[in-house]
């Protein structure tokens, strides 16, 4: 067998493979002999079928199968030994009137080669790294929510400001008939509040939907409609009162602190607020990190210029799926995936150049950390090491989970690399302003 490479240009090459009978004859003959031993053909005893008949019936299929195995094994070996960085898979070139009986079989494969390029993390223009802080307003609002959530519900006979009112919204024309609970402090319309205050169980008030709530999403929940339909409504709905409650806030005492965070973890209102601020900012850090990762990804794709073997990749996309695509479909698919492919190449180069590897032990510790955080969400704040080890062992036995966590850990390593080497400017910002600035 002889394998040679013809370089077409920097991004394209053709590999030629020449296979002689000596490369496959022994293997083919052995398989055909086994076929002969097992063949049941009318007119012949088992194992006594003439070899000529066996070759006539099975020879070509066995030859093709063995040659294809040879091609696959030796082509992969050649690409590895020659350290050829290929995109997609080698594409066999079509040959007309191929003669499988020839003494030498010649095959050609098109290769798409990965481009050579450099990645610069120190961009000219600094990329914003957001540091989201929980300001006093946010912390105070969270304290109020906690007091409400853990407070006492007291039944009332008459609606007053800041009460909760349960009842049913109705509108025949829009087919609205939905039970819900409304918090008066979330109603925006002063007229609606005036209509409700002083009313009793069994009474019905008419309310305009437009501008009813401070937050638009509350209207769809209250009426039992999808968000898009609710936003378009400008009608009157009848609200029949069925229950009136006052939610008296919980006291900020040790009983509440222990219920929230475990015994004696927090012992004062100040510590409560400090804890809320700390926990909130940890959660915000994840959002800020994801924003940074997205922004650096976009910047690297925009700034790192290189060509791709586009024609080859479109041909490969055309034939590599379960169902072959037309040229136009393959072109469209390539255009959709090009950005992702470019970042995949950039990311691969950064991983190699900075020797970023995911080791088994650190992946296991990463899994244990993830498991611990999941357990904490369900109130299990202090799991035993043995328990974590057992759960992590089960998780690590699932290949899909291992792949997912490996990708998450590598993303974290890349993020740490960016924070260390990229040109960043830190911007401290409240969560409210972060949402406005980033999401509009």
């Amino acid at each position: 067998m002889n394998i040679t490479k013809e370089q077409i240009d920097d991004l394209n090459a053709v590999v030629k493979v020449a296979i002689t009978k000596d490369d496959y004859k022994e293997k083919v003959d052995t398989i055909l002999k086994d076929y002969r031993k097992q063949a049941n053909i009318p007119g012949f005893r088992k194992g006594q079928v003439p070899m000529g008949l066996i070759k006539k019936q099975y020879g070509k299929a066995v030859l093709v199968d063995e040659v294809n195995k040879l091609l696959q094994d030796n082509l992969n070996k050649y690409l590895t030994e020659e350290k050829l960085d290929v995109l997609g898979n080698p594409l066999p070139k079509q040959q007309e009137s191929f003669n499988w009986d020839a003494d030498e079989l010649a095959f050609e494969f098109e290769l798409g080669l990965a481009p050579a390029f450099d990645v610069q993390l120190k961009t000219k223009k600094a990329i914003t790294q957001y540091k989201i802080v929980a300001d006093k307003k946010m912390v105070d609002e969270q304290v109020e929510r906690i007091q409400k959530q853990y407070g006492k519900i007291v039944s009332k006979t008459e609606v007053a400001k800041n009460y909760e009112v349960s009842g049913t919204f109705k509108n025949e024309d829009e087919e609205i008939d939905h039970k819900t609970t409304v918090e008066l402090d979330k109603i925006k319309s002063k007229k609606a509040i005036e209509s409700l205050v002083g009313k009793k169980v069994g009474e019905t008030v008419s309310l305009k939907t437009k501008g009813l709530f401070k937050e638009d999403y509350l209207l769809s929940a209250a009426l039992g409609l999808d968000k898009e339909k609710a936003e378009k409504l400008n009608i009157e709905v009848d609200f029949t009162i069925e229950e009136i409650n006052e939610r008296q806030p919980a006291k900020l005492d040790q009983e509440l602190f222990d219920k929230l965070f475990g015994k004696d973890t927090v012992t004062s209102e100040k510590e409560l607020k400090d804890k809320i601020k700390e926990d909130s900012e940890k959660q915000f850090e994840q959002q800020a990190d994801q924003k940074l990762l997205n922004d650096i990804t976009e910047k690297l794709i925009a700034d790192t210029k290189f060509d791709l073997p586009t024609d080859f990749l479109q041909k490969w996309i055309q034939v590599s799926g379960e169902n072959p695509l037309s040229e136009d479909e393959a072109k469209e698919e390539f255009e959709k995936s090009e950005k992702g492919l470019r970042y995949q190449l950039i990311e691969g180069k950064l991983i190699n150049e900075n020797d970023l590897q995911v080791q088994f032990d650190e992946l296991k510790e990463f899994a244990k950390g993830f498991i611990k955080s999941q357990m904490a969400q369900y109130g299990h704040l202090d799991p035993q090491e043995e328990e974590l080890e057992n759960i992590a062992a089960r998780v690590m036995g699932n290949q899909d989970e291992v792949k997912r966590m490996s990708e998450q850990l590598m993303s974290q390593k890349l993020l740490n690399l960016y924070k260390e080497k990229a040109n960043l400017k830190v911007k401290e910002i409240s969560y409210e302003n972060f949402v406005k600035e980033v999401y509009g």
Side-chain angles (χ1 to χ4, degrees), residues 288-307:
D289 282 350
Q290 189 58 56
K291 171 64 176 166
L292 180 62
L293 200 57
N294 293 344
D295 288 347
I296 291 180
T297 297
E298 293 293 331
K299 188 66 175 167
L300 288 174
I301 293 171
D303 288 0
T304 309
K305 305 296 184 185
F306 54 82
D307 293 325

Side-chain angles (χ1 to χ4, degrees), residues 39 84 101 111 297:
L84 293 175
D101 297 320
L111 301 181
T297 297

